Amino acid sequence: MKLNDILTGSYNAAEWEAKGYQLPQFDREAVAQKTHDEPTWVHFGGGNIFRAFPAAILNDALNTGKYDRGVIVAETFDFEVIDKAYAPYGNLSLLVSLQSTGTIEKKVIASVTEALKADYQFADWQRLVEIFRNPSLQMISFTITEKGYSVAPADLERGLQPVLAMGKVTALLLERFQAGELPLTVQSMDNCSHNGDKVKAGVFAYAEKWVNDGLAPAAFLDYLSNPAKITFPWSMIDKITPRPHQKVQEMLAADGFEDNNYIETEKHTFTAPFVNAEEVQYLVIEDNYTNGRPPLDLGGALYTTRETVDKVETMKVTTCLNPLHTAMSIYGCMLGYTLISAEMADEDLRSLIQKIGYMEAMPVVTDPGVLNPYEFIGAVINRRLPNPFMPDAPQRIAMDTSQKLPIRFGETIKKYIDRGLDMSNLQLIPLTLAGYARYLKGIKDDGTPFEPSPDPMLAELQAIVEPLEVGKPDQDFSCLRQLYSRADVFGLNLYEAGLGEQIEGMVKELYAGPGAVRATLHKYVSAR
């Protein structure tokens, strides 16, 4: 069983389907020809998240028979991905959905019709220019990570042949401008807040430089600024897509699926002809398009307003996912866990995040309307975090915790204050923040040391708790006031919020000695 067999037609569909493989239900050759002649969508970033999510929901849309165009992928960073993960398989891939039950679902993704290297040294660049000058193009999108939107001064000085992704995109937008100021939507699908603004800032940095240097006319900036011509919508995307998993590789090999090789490029991109991802996914997009759009809603995407996208993002990062992750990572590290899925079998930790979400954060969440907050948390707790295929670790999630606390917990506390709500309802969020002072010490609950995860403020914050010793409940804890009054770490001064003394008391309990972390956690979780 090989992907190329599907391309050539030399395969036994009944055999594939008998082994649980879902095959494309559309005429791929016809879709590829139509896409070549009248492209509607170019996606920048050919990594695993693209194949597992945007390409997959387009595949579902094509399977309905209500759409006839595929997606053209353009890689700006690691060209080996095109050479090794796309070209040998005719741009087909296998999506393996990892179920929380320990089973997998397998679907052949055939929606990618071209895979191009977005760089001037390759002939593919001229094909991209041709596509961008085609009036049919409706949308370009991105999964290049937040770092991909960066702009470097040296790159700005390279003129019309920049190296970084945003420079290349701007050069292609200049081609579209020169072809008649054709409309287009520039859509980020990266997992970062207000992502449309990030791509917009990157594009304008290059465009303004080129106009000032006389490399582009002033009208180019007018074109980019005209919302009837170019838009930069926001989106919220959520789907965990880890690197190819050995368990999945072995399961596919047992099926007789031969395209299960593991690929690592020179730039250390980890990929394969298959991509494995969790079963749960969300893509909420601001519906602000200037030239039409691919009907991704046929595959499950939600189109809505910018305000609603913002509400969904806020719901996720302050209530339904991110704070739960941070709480269990802080305590998971101290309790010696190395897998999030294993933590979910710990009744104290499971109750901690469940009660933070449902009982403490939910009273101030704004229901965005398009996604139910209660159902979102339910999926997180019952399907996403316990998933045995997700090899995520509390140590990874605990990275940069000082940068996450203001949003993940500080915003909830601010809403309690602004709305005049009873602060005594907050018990487990303060316990989480108290746990941070114990986590910074780098000593597990059994008394053995651990290395706190990388964090730009780690050394500074560790210095504050340096005088404290585990096992001395009667010591002087006055240094905690220096920590919990830090608005830059917690989003506000926790003493002014009325929580400082409460948190101090919890910290004293956590520092009592070996076993104190478990005992304190159990005490407060059980009391809620």
Side-chain angles (χ1 to χ4, degrees):
M1 298 169 64
K2 295 182 177 181
L3 291 170
N4 278 320
D5 293 342
I6 295 173
L7 287 176
T8 61
S10 58
Y11 69 104
N12 185 331
E15 178 187 4
W16 285 69
E17 291 169 355
K19 294 183 178 180
Y21 290 75
Q22 301 175 40
L23 298 173
Q25 302 299 306
F26 56 92
D27 185 336
R28 187 177 181 278
E29 288 188 11
V31 167
Q33 187 62 54
K34 186 76 169 177
T35 305
H36 180 276
D37 297 341
E38 298 177 0
T40 54
W41 179 16
V42 172
H43 183 88
F44 290 88
N48 294 329
I49 182 63
F50 163 68
R51 292 189 294 159
F53 200 176
I57 61 176
L58 178 62
N59 197 81
D60 290 345
L62 289 167
N63 279 338
T64 68
K66 298 178 181 179
Y67 193 57
D68 60 0
R69 242 67 65 89
V71 58
I72 298 165
V73 65
E75 177 59 38
T76 62
F77 172 69
D78 194 340
F79 305 124
E80 276 189 88
V81 170
I82 301 297
D83 291 334
K84 295 182 177 180
Y86 282 88
Y89 311 100
N91 302 324
L92 298 183
S93 61
L94 181 72
L95 169 60
V96 181
S97 294
L98 309 173
Q99 312 291 304
S100 57
T101 57
T103 60
I104 63 175
E105 291 183 356
K106 298 158 286 192
K107 181 186 298 184
V108 175
I109 304 302
S111 57
V112 179
T113 59
E114 293 180 68
L116 306 173
K117 301 175 186 177
D119 197 80
Y120 316 98
Q121 63 181 304
F122 303 111
D124 289 353
W125 183 259
Q126 288 307 311
R127 172 59 180 151
L128 280 168
V129 170
E130 175 186 322
I131 293 167
F132 269 73
R133 296 179 73 92
N134 194 320
S136 66
L137 187 62
Q138 298 174 330
M139 174 176 77
I140 60 172
S141 59
F142 306 85
T143 49
I144 56 177
T145 77
E146 189 167 359
K147 293 179 181 177
Y149 301 105
S150 63
V151 175
D155 204 47
L156 289 173
E157 298 298 333
R158 293 178 60 89
L160 297 178
Q161 289 198 342
V163 172
L164 299 180
M166 288 297 96
K168 294 175 181 178
V169 168
T170 309
L172 290 167
L173 288 172
L174 181 58
E175 294 282 352
R176 193 160 181 82
F177 164 77
Q178 292 169 339
E181 300 188 26
L182 301 173
L184 187 68
T185 290
V186 182
Q187 176 72 71
S188 174
M189 294 182 180
D190 269 301
N191 185 20
C192 49
S193 182
H194 300 173
N195 48 21
D197 290 349
K198 297 185 185 304
V199 66
K200 182 177 182 179
V203 166
F204 270 81
Y206 285 92
E208 289 169 356
K209 173 65 172 173
W210 296 348
V211 169
N212 290 337
D213 289 351
L215 299 175
F220 181 46
L221 281 175
D222 296 335
Y223 165 71
L224 295 175
S225 303
N226 184 350
K229 295 289 186 180
I230 303 293
T231 54
F232 299 87
W234 295 356
S235 71
M236 189 288 290
I237 188 169
D238 187 18
K239 186 179 181 72
I240 298 174
T241 309
R243 64 181 57 176
H245 200 295
Q246 183 179 352
K247 284 185 181 178
V248 175
Q249 187 180 34
E250 293 168 353
M251 295 171 82
L252 296 178
D255 281 344
F257 181 77
E258 297 181 41
D259 294 331
N260 59 60
N261 53 301
Y262 191 80
I263 300 166
E264 179 180 359
T265 70
E266 289 186 5
K267 291 186 175 181
H268 303 295
T269 299
F270 300 92
T271 186
F274 67 90
V275 55
N276 43 232
E278 68 169 332
E279 59 186 303
V280 180
Q281 60 187 31
Y282 304 96
L283 180 57
V284 184
I285 305 173
E286 177 189 348
D287 195 358
N288 185 13
Y289 290 77
T290 59
N291 197 33
R293 56 170 167 76
L296 297 184
D297 48 331
L298 293 175
L302 299 173
Y303 288 104
T304 184
T305 64
R306 171 169 289 205
E307 180 184 13
T308 300
V309 172
D310 195 38
K311 289 178 180 178
V312 171
E313 178 77 23
T314 300
M315 178 192 78
K316 184 185 83 164
V317 303
T318 66
T319 303
C320 296
L321 176 60
N322 297 29
L324 313 188
H325 252 161
T326 293
M328 68 191 307
S329 71
I330 290 173
Y331 278 90
C333 289
M334 293 190 290
L335 293 173
Y337 283 101
T338 57
L339 283 175
I340 291 294
S341 56
E343 285 192 66
M344 291 304 291
D346 185 311
E347 284 303 315
D348 287 334
L349 290 172
R350 185 183 180 94
S351 294
L352 171 68
I353 65 168
Q354 189 166 328
K355 291 176 179 179
I356 284 176
Y358 284 125
M359 299 176 67
E360 299 195 6
M362 192 65 75
V364 295
V365 73
T366 299
D367 187 339
V370 295
L371 289 176
N372 184 293
Y374 289 92
E375 293 177 1
F376 196 106
I377 289 184
V380 168
I381 293 174
N382 299 315
R383 297 166 63 193
R384 305 182 71 180
L385 298 181
N387 195 322
F389 283 113
M390 292 291 110
D392 215 349
Q395 290 76 19
R396 185 194 71 81
I397 294 171
M399 291 174 63
D400 303 328
T401 294
S402 69
Q403 312 299 295
K404 299 170 180 176
L405 294 173
I407 299 297
R408 299 185 179 191
F409 298 103
E411 290 303 308
T412 293
I413 296 170
K414 288 177 186 177
K415 288 176 182 176
Y416 266 77
I417 295 171
D418 292 344
R419 300 180 189 182
L421 298 179
D422 184 0
M423 298 292 283
S424 67
N425 187 51
L426 297 178
Q427 296 293 322
L428 301 184
I429 288 178
L431 181 68
T432 300
L433 302 181
Y436 189 52
R438 178 66 169 74
Y439 165 89
L440 288 169
K441 202 66 186 173
I443 299 175
K444 294 180 188 177
D445 198 27
D446 63 6
T448 60
F450 73 93
E451 185 70 30
S453 300
D455 187 309
M457 300 182 71
L458 181 61
E460 178 184 351
L461 298 179
Q462 283 185 310
I464 295 175
V465 300
E466 195 275 332
L468 301 180
E469 295 182 44
V470 175
K472 290 189 175 182
D474 296 328
Q475 65 189 300
D476 181 5
F477 283 89
S478 61
C479 63
L480 293 177
R481 183 166 288 272
Q482 184 183 351
L483 176 65
Y484 290 112
S485 62
R486 295 277 299 259
D488 59 331
V489 177
F490 300 100
L492 71 173
N493 183 320
L494 291 166
Y495 292 93
E496 294 176 358
L499 295 174
E501 286 78 9
Q502 176 189 1
I503 294 171
E504 275 191 25
M506 293 173 168
V507 174
K508 293 176 183 178
E509 295 180 62
L510 291 166
Y511 267 86
V517 173
R518 171 65 69 181
T520 306
L521 174 64
H522 182 75
K523 169 187 171 181
Y524 285 98
V525 165
S526 300
R528 286 295 276 146

